[in-house]
Amino acid sequence: MTAVPSPRPEPAGPSRTGRTSLAAALLSGALGAAVALLATRQEWSEGTATVAGGAFPLTAKGSDVTGVPAALAVVGLAALVAVFAVRRAGRLAVAAVLALSGAGTVAAALLGASDSTALDEKAAQASGDASATVGALSHTAWPYVAAVGGLLLLVAGLLALRYGRLWPAMSGRYERSGAPRPRRAAAPPDPDRPEELWKALDRGEDPTGA
């Protein structure tokens, strides 16, 4: 007897790769934007200002230090959604915007991790001296958390650039085409109703149906 060979497993096709990369991009992009936005609302730095009554504690949130990470996180989230509304070259352009938003978020967060400008301004206001600077300056880990969020957005953008052509697009029924819609043929006038005959003649139609 001849042994029947066992069927070989089929290799994963483009559809499976597209689904996997799509899920990874959506998770990475949504999580990255949420992390970056959350981190910018937390305290990034703290210090003291010298006033008449002694040392006055000061704190600065991420939004006080720089508004760039939060703005770019919103842009990246919008680009993540817009990826599915465009195709071909448009999808590549939107994916590039998503990747650049992530890279910009990382750069802005790392620059803000050692920035003291926001606390210096608060120290000048608290002391009434425009040349006053903050003392005992220290920074928290939240700027680096924002950088991680930007990194996740960057990963989502790179996945969109690499595998975006395999992802589904918005259904064609939601897109308008420039072709005119076919007109429905008008029903022949009822000979028992004279007013319909006159309307047909006014339209330049043959009421006899010939």
Side-chain angles (χ1 to χ4, degrees):
M1 296 179 60
T2 304
V4 179
S6 57
R8 296 181 179 179
E10 296 182 359
S15 59
R16 183 177 179 180
T17 303
R19 289 193 299 268
T20 303
S21 60
L22 172 59
L26 287 175
L27 179 61
S28 179
L31 183 60
V35 168
L37 289 173
L38 175 64
T40 56
R41 298 178 182 178
Q42 310 303 318
E43 292 183 1
W44 281 24
S45 56
E46 55 188 7
T48 58
T50 302
V51 295
F56 184 76
L58 298 172
T59 59
K61 294 183 178 180
S63 56
D64 299 327
V65 176
T66 174
V68 175
L72 289 180
V74 174
V75 171
L77 189 60
L80 181 64
V81 176
V83 164
F84 304 99
V86 292
R87 300 180 182 181
R88 299 182 180 88
R91 176 165 293 184
L92 289 176
V94 174
V97 171
L98 176 57
L100 291 174
S101 298
T105 301
V106 172
L110 293 179
L111 290 175
S114 58
D115 187 86
S116 63
T117 305
L119 283 182
D120 287 340
E121 292 177 355
K122 290 188 175 184
Q125 294 175 358
S127 63
D129 183 2
S131 61
T133 57
V134 65
L137 177 65
S138 62
H139 295 84
T140 67
W142 284 109
Y144 301 101
V145 175
V148 171
L151 183 61
L152 291 173
L153 282 171
L154 175 59
V155 170
L158 294 177
L159 286 173
L161 286 171
R162 175 63 178 85
Y163 300 104
R165 58 184 177 82
L166 303 177
W167 296 353
M170 183 182 293
S171 176
R173 64 179 179 176
Y174 297 106
E175 300 177 357
R176 289 187 176 182
S177 61
R181 295 182 178 181
R183 296 180 59 184
R184 294 184 178 180
D190 189 354
D192 296 331
R193 302 182 63 180
E195 65 275 8
E196 292 189 4
L197 296 176
W198 287 111
K199 291 180 181 179
L201 289 173
D202 292 337
R203 294 193 300 265
E205 299 176 359
D206 184 2
T208 62

